[in-house]
Every structure is written in structure tokens, then in C-alpha cells.
Amino acid sequence: MGQALGCIIVGQSNVAIKEHFGKFDDILQPGCHCLPWCLGYQIAGGLSLRVQQLDVKCETKTKDNVFVNVVASVQYRALADKASDAFYRLTNTKEQIQSYVFDVIRASVPKLELDAVFEQKNDIARAVEDELEKAMSAYGYEIVQTLIVDIEPDVHVKRAMNEINAAARLRLAANEKAEAEKILQIKKAEGEAESKYLSGLGIARQRQAIVDGLRDSVLAFSENVPGTTAKDIMDMVLVTQYFDTMKEIGASSKSSAVFIPHGPGAVRDVAEQIRDGLLHANASPNLLN
């Protein structure tokens, strides 16, 4: 805004307040205006129509007795058609807005607990904006938007909240770890049970195959060698297994030694001991009956 030879230039997004002998006369819009100062016309001042921002920091107490610093950001601007009210009716616009912000925040936050303050900050901002809109519209100002940009509790409270959060996360992690270990133990037990089952099934099949082989051998030997008895065939089988066992012991590279009778008579003694054991086992249930 400049003035030379009775002319005044008002910049864009600004207005000028024109007075005549100290009385409000007109609002000058952006552009060049003739101002005959010799006739008592003068410029009382200028007013910006741009959006301005005011950050207000307010300390208050929550419902659960925690002191917090709430920072509200108020965006406002003067209305061109009410520029005279904005210029003449308020001495300090920022202090006026700050007073209303303090009043609304200190009336809203004490009704809420600390967690609710964080959750309902948009409601607090809306309450501040509504109150400012009603109050400042009478003075020629428009409230564009109000934001709650920060809620800062006391340092000790923040530390306690972080510790609570950390403890909850550690507890959750411990539960998850215990559940994982439980699953591993269950799977390991299931694997061992399945392994033992399959091992037992294999041993049972092996023994069944041995019994079937012995039976087939006895039957085949009885058919091919007439006059032989089952006892003779079993003795021969035992002799064969005896020599196979001796062969495996002799071929083993381990240092352990096994002392067993090696004469042909020893085979008969072994066979007799096996038969006697089987006969004793078969006779015991009959005696008990």
C-alpha cells in the first residue's frame, strides 16, 4: 500500500480503512484510489484478508488428574465485507482467539480421561471451532479450521505409559513364544509316537516274515526228505543260525569278545535249552488251570 500525490494503492488480498476527519468512511479494495488528503481524507490502516494461523498451547488437567499440554492450531481470516468490524472492534485479535481456545479446552478436557483425550481430539477441535465461529463472526473474522496438533502429558506419565505398553507387548510375546514351544513339543511327541509305531510295525512284520519263512522251510524240508520230523528240522535250522551268528561275530571289527561253546555238542545243548524253555512256557498255563 503506497500513497503519493493523493493516490493510494492497496495490494492484493488486502483492504484499507478510509476515514474522513477521523470517522470511518469506506473500505478500499485492492487497486489504486484517489485520496484527497487536503479535504480531510486519510488511511487509518490496512487489514490482510489472507488466512492466518495461531498456535495456542494450553495446560489443563484430565478427569484422571493428569496434567497435559494441548496445542491447538487456529486458522482464521478477516472478512472483506466486515473489515470495519475487524479493524475497529478488536484491539488484539490473537489474544481474543487465545482466550476462547483456553476457555473451551479447559472446559472439555477435564471431562475426559487421558486415553479418551487422545481418542476424541477431533471432537475437542470441533468444539473449539464452533465456539470461535460464534464469537469471532461478530467481529468480522471467519474461523477456517481448528486442529488439535499435539497432546503432551507430563514426562513421568509418558514414561509410565510407555512402560505399560512395553510390558503388554512383552507379555504377548511371551505367550506367543510359549504357544510356539507347546506346538513344537506336541509335534515332536507326535513324531516320536509315529516313529515308535512304525518301528514296532516293522519289527512285527519282520518277526512274521521269520515265522513264515521257518514254516515254509519246515514244510518244504518235510516234503523233500521223507521220514524227518519237525524236531529234526528245527535242530538243523538252529545249527544253521548258530553258524551264521558265529560268522557275523568273527567278521565284526569291534573289540568286544563273546565266549560261547563252539563244539557240535553245544548246538544240541542250545537246541535242547530252547525246546525245554518253550515246553516249560507252554506247560505253566496248563498247571495254573
Side-chain angles (χ1 to χ4, degrees):
M1 183 169 58
Q3 181 176 356
L5 301 177
C7 293
I8 183 72
I9 298 175
V10 180
Q12 185 65 34
S13 299
N14 291 277
V15 292
I17 305 301
K18 177 182 175 183
E19 293 182 347
H20 185 219
F21 291 113
K23 181 181 179 181
F24 171 74
D25 182 69
D26 194 10
I27 298 174
L28 302 182
Q29 301 296 328
C32 182
H33 302 272
C34 181
L35 189 70
W37 53 270
C38 58
L39 299 179
Y41 291 98
Q42 63 179 359
I43 297 297
L47 193 66
S48 175
L49 301 180
R50 297 176 182 176
V51 176
Q52 303 180 59
Q53 179 168 309
L54 174 64
D55 293 331
V56 181
K57 185 176 182 180
C58 176
E59 184 181 16
T60 184
K61 185 181 71 171
T62 63
K63 187 176 181 180
D64 47 354
N65 297 321
V66 177
F67 282 89
V68 294
N69 289 315
V70 181
V71 179
S73 180
V74 181
Q75 298 175 355
Y76 66 98
R77 65 181 175 187
L79 298 174
D81 56 343
K82 295 184 177 180
S84 60
D85 291 334
F87 184 80
Y88 287 106
R89 299 188 63 181
L90 288 180
T91 302
N92 192 320
T93 305
K94 293 184 177 181
E95 288 187 0
Q96 184 81 3
I97 293 175
Q98 180 174 301
S99 298
Y100 281 106
V101 173
F102 280 170
D103 180 66
V104 176
I105 290 179
R106 287 175 176 169
S108 301
V109 174
K111 299 177 182 178
L112 304 172
E113 294 184 353
L114 181 59
D115 293 338
V117 173
F118 284 95
E119 295 173 358
Q120 301 182 27
K121 69 183 188 67
N122 291 334
D123 296 337
I124 298 173
R126 193 177 301 109
V128 173
E129 183 175 343
D130 293 341
E131 186 67 24
L132 285 176
E133 186 68 32
K134 290 188 295 183
M136 300 304 295
S137 61
Y139 298 105
Y141 282 93
E142 176 191 10
I143 303 302
V144 178
Q145 193 171 14
T146 302
L147 303 172
I148 301 298
V149 296
D150 191 16
I151 300 173
E152 185 178 358
D154 184 75
V155 177
H156 300 291
V157 176
K158 290 174 64 176
R159 185 181 298 113
M161 293 174 65
N162 291 332
E163 290 177 355
I164 293 173
N165 189 20
R169 293 182 179 275
L170 288 175
R171 183 169 61 252
L172 179 61
N175 291 336
E176 293 294 335
K177 183 178 179 181
E179 189 66 23
E181 292 178 353
K182 175 183 175 182
I183 293 173
L184 288 176
Q185 292 294 335
I186 292 174
K187 292 299 181 182
K188 183 178 179 181
E190 290 177 353
E192 291 179 353
E194 185 68 18
S195 176
K196 291 179 180 179
Y197 169 76
L198 294 176
S199 177
L201 188 61
I203 293 173
R205 289 177 178 176
Q206 179 186 11
R207 290 176 178 174
Q208 184 63 39
I210 293 173
V211 171
D212 293 342
L214 290 174
R215 185 183 66 248
D216 293 341
S217 297
V218 171
L219 293 176
F221 199 88
S222 298
E223 292 176 357
N224 295 328
V225 183
T228 58
T229 63
K231 174 179 176 301
D232 297 332
I233 297 171
M234 290 303 299
D235 289 341
M236 178 173 283
V237 171
L238 289 173
V239 170
T240 302
Q241 291 182 346
Y242 173 80
F243 283 111
D244 289 340
T245 303
M246 293 293 292
K247 181 179 178 181
E248 291 180 0
I249 293 175
S252 177
S253 60
K254 295 182 179 179
S255 60
S256 60
V258 178
F259 296 95
I260 60 174
H262 61 280
V267 178
R268 184 184 60 189
D269 294 337
V270 172
E272 290 178 354
Q273 292 176 11
I274 293 174
R275 285 196 301 272
D276 292 342
L278 292 174
L279 292 174
H280 178 71
N282 292 330
S284 296
N286 295 328
L287 291 176
L288 292 175
N289 295 329

